[in-house]
Amino acid sequence: MATWNTGWEIEFPATNADEILLALVVRDLIHGASFDVEAEETGAEFAVDYTAGDELEGGEYRLLLMAEVDGPEDAALLQAFTEQALEELIEEAEAAIAERSPVQEAPLARLRFAVVPEDEERWDLVIPDWLAPDGAEVPFGFRSFDDASGEPFPDNATLDAHGRVIAVPFEDKVIFVGIPAPEEHDHEDDEA
């Protein structure tokens, strides 16, 4: 079975904190997702693993989505499946955001973003890649700290109280929002 790679840049509006929050939750949901797919019409089968990054430019959030595919090189089929998967993940993200709770917020200037050792990574803390310091492994190899005290911000107890905490930078502050943890999905034999 052949292995091949492709990628896309998907733009989301980012004119307010809610729009950035939605895009970050979608990135969190798609990053690391794996699917075993069987096409309904042709019976073609493939496995796809997604990784995601992001960047912010002006009023647009750009999701940088990469796919590693085991199976026949059929870009149109993969594109159709990816669009369908993203539509479903946007709906899941909207449902999670509907249950959000405010956690904390701080001026961006008060926070420092620093690399953390692997055993201190928090998979439940979602911070945009563009806030990562040089040399950080994204998306989980860095964390936000209170610049004055050097303490993690938010602290571990706060993170433990939520399924996911999303860091939403907007204007000159970062708003931390708690949402439920994503549902575990069984992606075996998804149909495109």
Side-chain angles (χ1 to χ4, degrees):
M1 193 177 287
T3 299
W4 54 286
N5 297 289
T6 191
W8 305 268
E9 292 184 3
I10 301 148
E11 293 182 350
F12 287 79
T15 60
N16 60 51
D18 285 344
E19 290 176 343
I20 296 170
L21 174 61
L22 176 65
L24 288 169
V25 174
V26 171
R27 184 203 81 182
D28 180 54
L29 292 171
I30 192 78
H31 181 76
S34 297
F35 299 88
D36 293 320
V37 182
E38 181 177 348
E40 288 178 342
E41 293 180 10
T42 65
E45 295 182 8
F46 62 91
V48 58
D49 297 313
Y50 292 105
T51 54
D54 58 19
E55 56 190 30
L56 186 69
E57 191 174 311
E60 289 189 340
Y61 173 98
R62 193 168 297 122
L63 176 66
L64 308 172
L65 186 59
M66 288 71 66
E68 181 178 296
V69 183
D70 287 325
E73 193 162 341
D74 185 336
L77 179 61
L78 179 64
Q79 173 85 20
F81 175 77
T82 301
E83 288 174 4
Q84 175 187 331
L86 280 170
E87 286 175 14
E88 292 172 7
L89 291 176
I90 288 169
E91 289 177 11
E92 186 176 334
E94 289 171 340
I97 290 168
E99 297 181 43
R100 73 179 168 219
S101 58
V103 174
Q104 291 174 293
E105 66 179 69
L108 185 56
R110 177 181 160 196
L111 299 176
R112 176 177 49 87
F113 297 89
V115 174
V116 295
E118 189 173 348
D119 63 341
E120 293 179 28
E121 291 179 356
R122 292 298 302 245
W123 293 66
D124 51 355
L125 176 61
V126 178
I127 303 175
D129 291 356
W130 66 84
L131 293 177
D134 290 341
E137 188 76 31
V138 292
F140 304 111
F142 70 104
R143 199 164 165 185
S144 48
F145 294 86
D146 182 289
D147 198 36
S149 70
E151 294 296 315
F153 189 98
D155 62 20
N156 287 335
T158 302
L159 295 179
D160 292 341
H162 301 276
R164 285 280 195 278
V165 173
I166 316 295
V168 182
F170 185 67
E171 295 179 339
D172 60 350
K173 64 184 173 186
V174 180
I175 304 161
F176 293 89
V177 178
I179 62 169
E183 295 177 23
E184 291 296 320
H185 294 284
D186 180 7
H187 295 305
E188 296 293 318
D189 302 319
D190 284 308
E191 293 183 357

